[in-house]
Amino acid sequence: NKNNKTNNELIEYINNNRKTIILYTALFLFILITIAIFNNKITELDQSVHTHILNMRNDTLTNTLIIITNISSAYSLIVVSILLLAIIKKKKIPLLICLNLVSAYIINITAKLIFTRPRPSGINLIEESGFSYPSGHAMISMSYFGFIAYLIYKNCKNTITKTLIIITLLITILTIGFSRIYLGVHYLSDVIGGFLLSIIYLIIYIKNINLENK
């Protein structure tokens, strides 16, 4: 009985503090991967991933991933957000989506200026400027589509529809991250770092907005 009570209390604690647990886990992993990057402890893994991806390259996949990476740029998502703002009558949700996008972009640019990691060289299929860590596309896609997934989770009543949309958004996020590595403009660690920083930011963002009376 005591063991069951302890287990139930633990489960209840995790359920009540889920966001906080995820936040600190992501923060710990982000710090860990950042230290590994700047102590050259992850270089071998990054290079190994690029070697495998070079062998996967073909014209069809390259053209597809260039389209995906362009559609998922901050500028493209700004256009989408402005359209949502114009179309949706109740303005709070599209305003929060726009604010989320702008905030994630500013945080990413700031992080890049702090870490100043050079991009991969000699393997890029497209031209990109700026620093490499953390990946802007990875961070912004996780923040943008992750926030939309959260809104769907909170507001969609149909479980099947909700699940399908969230899975689609998750696949989209992962595909965007993969596209940045495949196109040779980011390392694997850049993308993982971008995802982790985005999770940290997004949980803080969600905790500090009021979604009532949308």
Side-chain angles (χ1 to χ4, degrees), residues 103-116 133-134 197:
S103 300
Y105 180 77
I106 291 170
I107 290 169
N108 180 258
I109 292 298
T110 304
K112 283 178 182 285
L113 292 174
I114 291 170
F115 297 120
T116 61
Y133 182 78
L197 184 57

Side-chain angles (χ1 to χ4, degrees), residues 55-86:
N55 294 327
M56 294 173 55
R57 285 179 172 176
N58 62 73
D59 290 343
T60 302
L61 185 56
T62 297
N63 291 333
T64 302
L65 292 177
I66 286 174
I67 291 169
I68 289 170
T69 209
N70 287 334
I71 289 173
S72 64
S73 71
Y75 304 109
S76 298
L77 294 178
I78 286 170
V79 172
V80 172
S81 300
I82 291 171
L83 288 174
L84 288 175
L85 195 57

Side-chain angles (χ1 to χ4, degrees), residues 4-151:
N4 288 337
K5 185 178 179 181
T6 303
N7 290 336
N8 290 336
E9 287 175 349
L10 179 61
I11 291 168
E12 185 179 356
Y13 175 83
I14 291 171
N15 287 334
N16 292 337
N17 297 277
R18 192 178 304 162
K19 289 190 182 75
T20 303
I21 292 168
I22 295 172
L23 170 64
Y24 283 111
T25 301
L27 178 59
F28 171 76
L29 292 173
F30 180 75
I31 293 170
L32 198 66
I33 197 170
T34 303
I35 292 170
I37 287 169
F38 292 99
N39 284 280
N40 297 316
K41 301 295 185 183
I42 206 166
T43 305
E44 187 176 337
L45 175 61
D46 282 332
Q47 290 175 345
S48 176
V49 169
H50 270 143
T51 299
H52 286 295
I53 285 178
L54 286 173
N55 294 327
M56 294 173 55
R57 285 179 172 176
N58 62 73
D59 290 343
T60 302
L61 185 56
T62 297
N63 291 333
T64 302
L65 292 177
I66 286 174
I67 291 169
I68 289 170
T69 209
N70 287 334
I71 289 173
S72 64
S73 71
Y75 304 109
S76 298
L77 294 178
I78 286 170
V79 172
V80 172
S81 300
I82 291 171
L83 288 174
L84 288 175
L85 195 57
I87 293 169
I88 298 175
K89 291 183 180 180
K90 294 181 179 180
K91 301 298 182 187
K92 184 165 188 178
I93 289 298
L95 280 172
L96 288 173
I97 290 172
C98 290
L99 178 60
N100 170 51
L101 177 60
V102 172
S103 300
Y105 180 77
I106 291 170
I107 290 169
N108 180 258
I109 292 298
T110 304
K112 283 178 182 285
L113 292 174
I114 291 170
F115 297 120
T116 61
R117 186 189 196 188
R119 289 183 184 272
S121 60
I123 57 171
N124 54 302
L125 296 177
I126 58 174
E127 291 298 322
E128 287 285 6
S129 59
F131 296 110
S132 194
Y133 182 78
S135 164
H137 278 68
M139 182 174 177
I140 289 167
S141 65
M142 176 66 81
S143 299
Y144 192 83
F145 296 115
F147 184 54
I148 291 173
Y150 175 79
L151 295 174

